């Protein structure tokens, strides 16, 4: 696959474009927002600079070469022209995705593979029936040029050969495809993240702990073991009979299902929507997002290198 189109140049789209370009694909990217389109080159160049600084970028890449490999387009038809794979990374809104897939059905030849980077949506009902055999989910994690996990998720009608080809494409990026047998909202890692979020929202909304305490518990407790033990090898070290007793005691009850969090709603109402706004659960001190991304990426790359050197438990 050499010609790939990305629809949506936001947090994920620009990062997916970067990882594809660095591994030899010709990428075209578009966004309905003129401002977002204008930010794509700078965001990609900043990420590339961080990768190069850490020795994590393929040899010979600089901003000029990147600009040749990734073309930012204003028009959807020019973006998808000649593309064998179209990846949508637009807003997590089913109506917007349905409308986009309808446009792509009109513009793309029958053989074009249509992929969605959706975090949780069952996009398959949003895609025209005639496209189902060549439609799937390819879900990267943020930042996609550092986090190697990619969910490869078929719909009920996806051709297994397309799934296999996309898993190979992900491996060709040096990344790790998790090929699911069927769609389930959130796949594996996102479902686990949602389970964590459900508990975190409860702890925040019930005033049990503050954001910093919750992140301290995760960083100083869970995060140290997970890179080496994951969750189930860790259970083997805990002892499965204790695990069994803890379950049987019924002392832990998961929070009731929820579709909102009062704390989260209050933050969003104040415009505290994350690093792009300079504040969310934490106040980022007015630092520009690009600077925050670079600090995050430097730390992630250093940790990733250390983890590669340490490795998981043998035999797991
Ligand atoms: N933010 C994250 O950490 C992750 C998000 N995702 C998923 O990726 C997708 C994109 O998420 P983000 O990049 O965070 O969102 P974002 O809001 O940063 O970017 C989405 C972009 O889509 C553009 N857009 C909306 N409708 C469009 C259309 N019809 N044509 C072209 N562009 C259009 C918007 O202008 C916006 O720039 C969502 O489905 C999200 O669930 C997946 C993994 C991680
Ligand atoms: O964490 C990620 O990068 C991904 O799991 C995502 O899809 C989104 O962040 C999602 O978890 C938002 O709830």
């Amino acid at each position: 696959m050499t010609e790939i189109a990305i629809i949506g140049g936001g947090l994920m789209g620009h990062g997916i474009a970067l990882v594809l370009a660095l591994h030899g694909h010709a990428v075209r990217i578009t966004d309905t927002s003129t401002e977002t389109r204008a930010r794509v080159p700078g965001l990609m160049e900043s990420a590339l600079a961080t990768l190069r600084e850490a020795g994590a970028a393929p040899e010979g890449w600089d901003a000029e070469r990147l600009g040749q490999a990734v073309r930012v387009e204003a028009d959807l038809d020019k973006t998808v022209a000649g593309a064998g794979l179209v990846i949508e990374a637009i807003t997590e809104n089913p109506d917007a995705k349905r409308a986009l897939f309808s446009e792509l059905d009109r513009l793309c030849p029958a053989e074009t593979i249509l992929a969605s980077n959706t975090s949780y949506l069952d996009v398959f009902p949003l895609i025209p029936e005639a496209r189902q055999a060549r439609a799937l989910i390819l879900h990267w994690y943020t930042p996609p040029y550092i986090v190697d996990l990619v969910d490869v998720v078929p719909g009920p009608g996806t051709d297994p050969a397309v799934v296999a080809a996309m898993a190979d494409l992900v491996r060709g990026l040096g990344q790790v495809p998790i090929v699911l047998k069927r769609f389930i909202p959130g796949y594996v890692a996102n479902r686990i993240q949602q389970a964590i979020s459900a508990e975190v929202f409860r702890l925040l909304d019930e005033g049990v702990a503050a954001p910093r305490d919750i992140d301290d518990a995760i960083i100083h407790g869970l995060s140290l073991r997970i890179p080496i033990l994951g969750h189930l090898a860790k259970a083997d070290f805990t002892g499965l009979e204790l695990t069994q007793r803890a379950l049987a005691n019924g002392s832990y009850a998961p929070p009731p299902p929820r579709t909102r969090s009062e704390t989260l709603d209050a933050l969003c109402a104040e415009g505290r929507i994350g690093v792009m706004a300079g504040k969310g659960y934490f106040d980022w001190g007015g630092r520009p997002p690009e600077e925050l991304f670079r600090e995050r990426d430097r730390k992630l790359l250093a940790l990733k290198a250390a983890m590669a050197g340490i490795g998981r438990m043998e035999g797991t």
Side-chain angles (χ1 to χ4, degrees), residues 119-120 139-142 190 193-194:
S119 299
Y120 302 99
H139 173 259
W140 277 266
Y141 290 73
T142 195
N190 257 5
Q193 283 194 130
Q194 282 291 42

Side-chain angles (χ1 to χ4, degrees), residues 15 19 22 29-30 36 52 71 84 89 96 103 107 165 183 187 242 259 267 281 296 312:
V19 70
L22 292 180
I29 186 167
T30 192
T36 302
R52 290 180 60 187
R71 195 175 74 227
E103 274 291 278
L107 291 170
F183 171 80
Y187 326 121
L242 168 55
T259 57
L267 290 169
Y281 285 107
R296 173 201 65 183
R312 64 199 293 172

